[in-house]
Amino acid sequence: MIEKTKLIMIPVFTLCFLSYSVLIGKFYEKFHVSREIWIGLCGLLSAALVVAFIMDLFFAKHEGSRDDKHE
């Protein structure tokens, strides 16, 4: 079963990927958004992805140590 952190990380990764794709393709001009704001959005989504990844590692480590104690 997919843990809650993976359910958070998958959409955040998708949004992060799409925002970088928009930045590289210069589609932000069609949305009438400045490049600096779009770079900030990409940075914010990247930071959210890093936090979700660290949370996933943290909870996976605790699940692993809990499983070791039961054996």
Side-chain angles (χ1 to χ4, degrees):
M1 183 173 183
I2 297 178
E3 293 109 17
K4 290 179 185 177
T5 54
K6 287 199 180 14
L7 288 175
I8 294 169
M9 193 168 24
I10 290 170
V12 170
F13 174 77
T14 303
L15 288 174
C16 190
F17 177 77
L18 290 174
S19 68
Y20 276 104
S21 298
V22 168
L23 182 66
I24 298 220
K26 295 186 180 178
F27 291 116
Y28 56 88
E29 293 172 350
K30 293 181 182 179
F31 299 139
H32 303 292
V33 178
S34 71
R35 185 172 190 264
E36 290 79 21
I37 291 175
W38 205 263
I39 289 173
L41 177 69
C42 291
L44 182 68
L45 288 171
S46 296
L49 183 63
V50 167
V51 168
F53 184 73
I54 290 171
M55 283 174 39
D56 183 51
L57 287 176
F58 178 74
F59 287 123
K61 185 176 180 180
H62 281 291
E63 288 293 323
S65 65
R66 208 179 313 160
D67 290 342
D68 292 341
K69 290 180 182 177
H70 285 90
E71 290 179 1

